[in-house]
């Protein structure tokens, strides 16, 4: 096939993975298949897309799918999370998926983990023009939504 061989180029803090995106879990998580038929779960660095039951979840997932499904991508890996997912910036040709999601109004800039100026600017532009999730009257950040869901489960357990 035309797969580019898995390329683990180690620099100061990152590795680079090449492969075809074979699965879209949600807007910010994809699975990459390298030339050795190894799957790599990739979580997009610096952004957070809506959760499954939030508005714009499906739109963000479809955007990611149209952007990179069945395409050869480059993933610049910065670290790994507790679920063993590579935390990365993903590129198709020279276009960055993480940035594209922010600019389209389909993700929040996850400032707890990233301080990139151009991410902040992309989110601010999406807010200003009320793109996608920013058109909602009170969009709830996914990390706040997850926290609220955890509290709901704990409250439910406490009642039983």
């Amino acid at each position: 096939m035309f797969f580019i061989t898995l390329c683990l180029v180690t620099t100061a803090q990152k590795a680079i993975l090449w492969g075809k995106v074979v699965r879209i879990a949600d807007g910010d998580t994809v699975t990459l298949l390298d030339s050795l038929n190894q799957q790599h779960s990739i979580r997009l660095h610096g952004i957070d897309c809506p959760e499954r039951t939030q508005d714009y979840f499906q739109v963000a997932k479809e955007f990611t799918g149209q952007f990179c499904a069945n395409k050869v991508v480059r993933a610049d890996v910065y670290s790994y999370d507790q679920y063993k997912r590579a935390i990365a910036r993903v590129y198709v040709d020279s276009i960055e998926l993480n940035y594209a999601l922010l600019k389209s109004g389909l993700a929040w800039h996850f400032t707890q983990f990233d301080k990139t100026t151009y991410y902040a600017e992309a989110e601010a532009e999406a807010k200003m023009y009320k793109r996608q999730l920013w058109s909602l009257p009170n969009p709830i950040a996914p990390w706040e939504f997850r926290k609220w869901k955890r509290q709901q489960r704990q409250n439910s357990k406490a009642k039983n």
Side-chain angles (χ1 to χ4, degrees):
M1 287 212 164
F2 62 91
F3 275 81
I4 299 171
T5 303
L6 168 66
C7 185
L8 263 178
V9 179
T10 305
T11 60
Q13 292 183 323
K14 68 180 176 182
I16 299 175
L17 298 171
W18 291 89
K20 186 183 253 188
V21 172
V22 294
R23 181 173 181 271
I24 310 297
D26 55 32
D28 55 31
T29 309
V30 300
T31 301
L32 180 146
L33 181 68
D34 69 25
S35 63
L36 302 174
N37 281 329
Q38 291 183 310
Q39 291 189 8
H40 303 269
S41 183
I42 310 285
R43 170 70 168 81
L44 300 181
H45 169 78
I47 69 166
D48 206 358
C49 288
E51 292 292 311
R52 186 166 303 280
T53 56
Q54 285 188 279
D55 291 329
Y56 288 96
F57 166 84
Q58 193 62 37
V59 178
K61 182 177 179 179
E62 289 171 7
F63 181 96
T64 296
Q66 290 172 358
F67 191 95
C68 64
N70 296 311
K71 295 179 184 172
V72 174
V73 303
R74 182 184 92 223
D76 293 356
V77 179
Y78 293 90
S79 62
Y80 288 82
D81 68 11
Q82 69 268 30
Y83 307 108
K84 299 182 180 166
R85 297 177 299 187
I87 307 300
R89 286 190 166 101
V90 171
Y91 299 87
V92 173
D93 298 320
S94 61
I95 303 169
E96 182 186 347
L97 172 58
N98 314 40
Y99 176 77
L101 282 160
L102 282 167
K103 194 159 176 89
S104 297
L106 292 171
W108 279 258
H109 182 197
F110 212 164
T111 57
Q112 178 181 351
F113 299 104
D114 180 84
K115 305 294 183 206
T116 308
T117 305
Y118 75 102
Y119 277 15
E121 290 168 354
E123 182 185 70
E125 180 183 308
K127 282 180 184 179
M128 182 172 65
Y129 291 109
K130 297 186 184 312
R131 294 182 185 137
Q132 308 282 359
L133 63 88
W134 299 112
S135 68
L136 298 170
N138 189 23
I140 299 169
W143 56 87
E144 292 296 331
F145 183 78
R146 290 188 295 268
K147 181 179 174 183
W148 176 78
K149 293 290 271 187
R150 279 191 303 273
Q151 288 171 342
Q152 294 293 95
R153 284 192 300 270
Q154 288 171 353
N155 292 342
S156 178
K157 286 180 185 178
K159 288 180 183 178
N160 294 331

